[in-house]
mmCIF file of all heavy atoms in Angstrom:
data_model
loop_
_atom_site.group_PDB
_atom_site.id
_atom_site.type_symbol
_atom_site.label_atom_id
_atom_site.label_comp_id
_atom_site.label_asym_id
_atom_site.label_seq_id
_atom_site.Cartn_x
_atom_site.Cartn_y
_atom_site.Cartn_z
ATOM 1 N N PRO A 324 -31.798 -11.547 0.960
ATOM 2 C CA PRO A 324 -32.376 -12.947 1.011
ATOM 3 C C PRO A 324 -31.409 -13.918 0.261
ATOM 4 O O PRO A 324 -31.366 -15.059 0.673
ATOM 5 C CB PRO A 324 -33.623 -12.821 0.251
ATOM 6 C CG PRO A 324 -34.052 -11.385 0.557
ATOM 7 C CD PRO A 324 -32.888 -10.634 0.576
ATOM 8 N N ASP A 325 -30.718 -13.515 -0.723
ATOM 9 C CA ASP A 325 -29.816 -14.443 -1.515
ATOM 10 C C ASP A 325 -28.323 -14.460 -1.164
ATOM 11 O O ASP A 325 -27.601 -15.143 -1.819
ATOM 12 C CB ASP A 325 -30.043 -14.217 -3.112
ATOM 13 C CG ASP A 325 -31.516 -14.580 -3.448
ATOM 14 O OD1 ASP A 325 -32.053 -15.431 -2.866
ATOM 15 O OD2 ASP A 325 -32.009 -13.920 -4.367
ATOM 16 N N GLY A 326 -27.981 -13.753 -0.161
ATOM 17 C CA GLY A 326 -26.440 -13.745 0.130
ATOM 18 C C GLY A 326 -26.141 -12.661 1.157
ATOM 19 O O GLY A 326 -26.981 -11.950 1.628
ATOM 20 N N THR A 327 -24.895 -12.720 1.699
ATOM 21 C CA THR A 327 -24.439 -11.786 2.700
ATOM 22 C C THR A 327 -23.020 -11.414 2.267
ATOM 23 O O THR A 327 -22.331 -12.113 1.476
ATOM 24 C CB THR A 327 -24.485 -12.466 4.088
ATOM 25 O OG1 THR A 327 -23.490 -13.675 3.983
ATOM 26 C CG2 THR A 327 -25.656 -12.927 4.579
ATOM 27 N N TRP A 328 -22.555 -10.345 2.939
ATOM 28 C CA TRP A 328 -21.140 -9.846 2.806
ATOM 29 C C TRP A 328 -20.797 -9.213 4.053
ATOM 30 O O TRP A 328 -21.716 -8.772 4.821
ATOM 31 C CB TRP A 328 -20.871 -9.074 1.566
ATOM 32 C CG TRP A 328 -21.548 -7.674 1.568
ATOM 33 C CD1 TRP A 328 -22.822 -7.468 1.187
ATOM 34 C CD2 TRP A 328 -20.912 -6.481 1.851
ATOM 35 N NE1 TRP A 328 -23.001 -6.071 1.188
ATOM 36 C CE2 TRP A 328 -21.788 -5.487 1.523
ATOM 37 C CE3 TRP A 328 -19.671 -6.072 2.238
ATOM 38 C CZ2 TRP A 328 -21.682 -4.088 1.718
ATOM 39 C CZ3 TRP A 328 -19.367 -4.758 2.388
ATOM 40 C CH2 TRP A 328 -20.322 -3.782 2.180
ATOM 41 N N SER A 329 -19.508 -9.069 4.400
ATOM 42 C CA SER A 329 -19.050 -8.598 5.736
ATOM 43 C C SER A 329 -18.101 -7.467 5.489
ATOM 44 O O SER A 329 -17.589 -7.295 4.440
ATOM 45 C CB SER A 329 -18.371 -9.641 6.577
ATOM 46 O OG SER A 329 -17.291 -10.184 5.960
ATOM 47 N N HIS A 330 -17.934 -6.769 6.594
ATOM 48 C CA HIS A 330 -17.005 -5.605 6.622
ATOM 49 C C HIS A 330 -16.565 -5.310 7.968
ATOM 50 O O HIS A 330 -17.287 -5.452 8.846
ATOM 51 C CB HIS A 330 -17.716 -4.245 5.988
ATOM 52 C CG HIS A 330 -16.853 -3.143 5.739
ATOM 53 N ND1 HIS A 330 -15.802 -3.081 4.725
ATOM 54 C CD2 HIS A 330 -16.718 -1.951 6.373
ATOM 55 C CE1 HIS A 330 -15.205 -1.941 4.763
ATOM 56 N NE2 HIS A 330 -15.684 -1.231 5.779
ATOM 57 N N THR A 331 -15.286 -4.932 8.161
ATOM 58 C CA THR A 331 -14.675 -4.687 9.428
ATOM 59 C C THR A 331 -14.501 -3.299 9.610
ATOM 60 O O THR A 331 -13.928 -2.537 8.744
ATOM 61 C CB THR A 331 -13.385 -5.539 9.633
ATOM 62 O OG1 THR A 331 -13.655 -6.881 9.453
ATOM 63 C CG2 THR A 331 -12.787 -5.222 10.945
ATOM 64 N N LEU A 332 -14.929 -2.707 10.738
ATOM 65 C CA LEU A 332 -14.736 -1.235 11.135
ATOM 66 C C LEU A 332 -13.765 -1.326 12.275
ATOM 67 O O LEU A 332 -13.939 -2.062 13.229
ATOM 68 C CB LEU A 332 -15.954 -0.576 11.476
ATOM 69 C CG LEU A 332 -17.095 -0.429 10.450
ATOM 70 C CD1 LEU A 332 -18.370 0.236 11.103
ATOM 71 C CD2 LEU A 332 -16.547 0.386 9.307
ATOM 72 N N THR A 333 -12.721 -0.375 12.274
ATOM 73 C CA THR A 333 -11.817 -0.178 13.358
ATOM 74 C C THR A 333 -11.670 1.275 13.709
ATOM 75 O O THR A 333 -12.318 2.145 13.014
ATOM 76 C CB THR A 333 -10.444 -0.743 12.906
ATOM 77 O OG1 THR A 333 -10.002 0.002 11.680
ATOM 78 C CG2 THR A 333 -10.428 -2.226 12.559
ATOM 79 N N GLY A 334 -10.897 1.522 14.752
ATOM 80 C CA GLY A 334 -10.609 2.931 15.072
ATOM 81 C C GLY A 334 -11.881 3.681 15.553
ATOM 82 O O GLY A 334 -12.762 3.209 16.215
ATOM 83 N N ARG A 335 -11.998 4.960 15.101
ATOM 84 C CA ARG A 335 -13.069 5.836 15.445
ATOM 85 C C ARG A 335 -14.406 5.220 14.966
ATOM 86 O O ARG A 335 -15.439 5.452 15.652
ATOM 87 C CB ARG A 335 -12.785 7.181 14.934
ATOM 88 C CG ARG A 335 -11.598 7.927 15.389
ATOM 89 C CD ARG A 335 -11.648 8.225 16.904
ATOM 90 N NE ARG A 335 -10.503 9.038 17.329
ATOM 91 C CZ ARG A 335 -10.282 9.275 18.551
ATOM 92 N NH1 ARG A 335 -10.995 8.769 19.509
ATOM 93 N NH2 ARG A 335 -9.184 10.048 18.900
ATOM 94 N N ARG A 336 -14.429 4.592 13.792
ATOM 95 C CA ARG A 336 -15.621 4.103 13.211
ATOM 96 C C ARG A 336 -16.182 2.985 14.085
ATOM 97 O O ARG A 336 -17.382 2.837 14.381
ATOM 98 C CB ARG A 336 -15.370 3.655 11.824
ATOM 99 C CG ARG A 336 -14.955 4.754 10.911
ATOM 100 C CD ARG A 336 -14.774 4.288 9.486
ATOM 101 N NE ARG A 336 -13.902 5.208 8.799
ATOM 102 C CZ ARG A 336 -13.783 5.215 7.496
ATOM 103 N NH1 ARG A 336 -14.303 4.414 6.702
ATOM 104 N NH2 ARG A 336 -13.039 6.199 6.880
ATOM 105 N N ALA A 337 -15.344 2.114 14.614
ATOM 106 C CA ALA A 337 -15.799 1.103 15.502
ATOM 107 C C ALA A 337 -16.211 1.619 16.858
ATOM 108 O O ALA A 337 -17.231 1.193 17.492
ATOM 109 C CB ALA A 337 -14.691 0.142 15.773
ATOM 110 N N ALA A 338 -15.574 2.706 17.267
ATOM 111 C CA ALA A 338 -15.909 3.340 18.605
ATOM 112 C C ALA A 338 -17.372 4.000 18.445
ATOM 113 O O ALA A 338 -18.212 4.013 19.344
ATOM 114 C CB ALA A 338 -14.805 4.421 18.981
ATOM 115 N N VAL A 339 -17.626 4.545 17.311
ATOM 116 C CA VAL A 339 -19.003 5.179 17.111
ATOM 117 C C VAL A 339 -20.072 4.051 17.232
ATOM 118 O O VAL A 339 -21.033 4.251 17.930
ATOM 119 C CB VAL A 339 -19.013 5.920 15.687
ATOM 120 C CG1 VAL A 339 -20.441 6.144 15.319
ATOM 121 C CG2 VAL A 339 -18.158 7.240 15.779
ATOM 122 N N ILE A 340 -19.850 2.954 16.476
ATOM 123 C CA ILE A 340 -20.781 1.854 16.547
ATOM 124 C C ILE A 340 -20.935 1.373 17.968
ATOM 125 O O ILE A 340 -22.110 1.057 18.353
ATOM 126 C CB ILE A 340 -20.497 0.780 15.447
ATOM 127 C CG1 ILE A 340 -20.352 1.311 14.087
ATOM 128 C CG2 ILE A 340 -21.405 -0.346 15.547
ATOM 129 C CD1 ILE A 340 -21.540 1.967 13.607
ATOM 130 N N SER A 341 -19.901 1.239 18.642
ATOM 131 C CA SER A 341 -19.932 0.639 19.979
ATOM 132 C C SER A 341 -20.660 1.625 20.883
ATOM 133 O O SER A 341 -21.601 1.166 21.683
ATOM 134 C CB SER A 341 -18.462 0.475 20.583
ATOM 135 O OG SER A 341 -18.555 0.002 21.810
ATOM 136 N N ALA A 342 -20.598 2.921 20.710
ATOM 137 C CA ALA A 342 -21.311 3.854 21.522
ATOM 138 C C ALA A 342 -22.822 3.927 21.272
ATOM 139 O O ALA A 342 -23.544 3.934 22.083
ATOM 140 C CB ALA A 342 -20.712 5.325 21.298
ATOM 141 N N LEU A 343 -23.072 3.794 19.926
ATOM 142 C CA LEU A 343 -24.561 3.713 19.609
ATOM 143 C C LEU A 343 -25.128 2.453 20.034
ATOM 144 O O LEU A 343 -26.308 2.412 20.346
ATOM 145 C CB LEU A 343 -24.682 3.869 18.039
ATOM 146 C CG LEU A 343 -24.118 5.285 17.494
ATOM 147 C CD1 LEU A 343 -24.315 5.283 15.925
ATOM 148 C CD2 LEU A 343 -25.020 6.453 18.098
ATOM 149 N N ALA A 344 -24.371 1.396 20.028
ATOM 150 C CA ALA A 344 -24.958 0.108 20.467
ATOM 151 C C ALA A 344 -25.287 0.128 21.952
ATOM 152 O O ALA A 344 -26.312 -0.549 22.402
ATOM 153 C CB ALA A 344 -23.889 -1.065 20.286
ATOM 154 N N GLY A 345 -24.598 0.971 22.690
ATOM 155 C CA GLY A 345 -24.963 1.068 24.093
ATOM 156 C C GLY A 345 -26.138 2.054 24.424
ATOM 157 O O GLY A 345 -26.571 2.202 25.542
ATOM 158 N N ARG A 346 -26.443 2.762 23.381
ATOM 159 C CA ARG A 346 -27.572 3.843 23.521
ATOM 160 C C ARG A 346 -28.593 3.630 22.466
ATOM 161 O O ARG A 346 -28.578 4.426 21.487
ATOM 162 C CB ARG A 346 -27.028 5.223 23.592
ATOM 163 C CG ARG A 346 -26.027 5.532 24.822
ATOM 164 C CD ARG A 346 -26.775 5.701 26.050
ATOM 165 N NE ARG A 346 -27.717 6.890 25.953
ATOM 166 C CZ ARG A 346 -27.316 8.126 26.219
ATOM 167 N NH1 ARG A 346 -26.073 8.328 26.547
ATOM 168 N NH2 ARG A 346 -28.086 9.131 26.158
#
Side-chain angles (χ1 to χ4, degrees):
D325 294 328
T327 60
W328 66 281
S329 63
H330 189 66
T331 301
L332 298 176
T333 58
R335 300 294 188 189
R336 300 182 196 192
V339 164
I340 301 304
S341 181
L343 295 179
R346 294 286 296 274

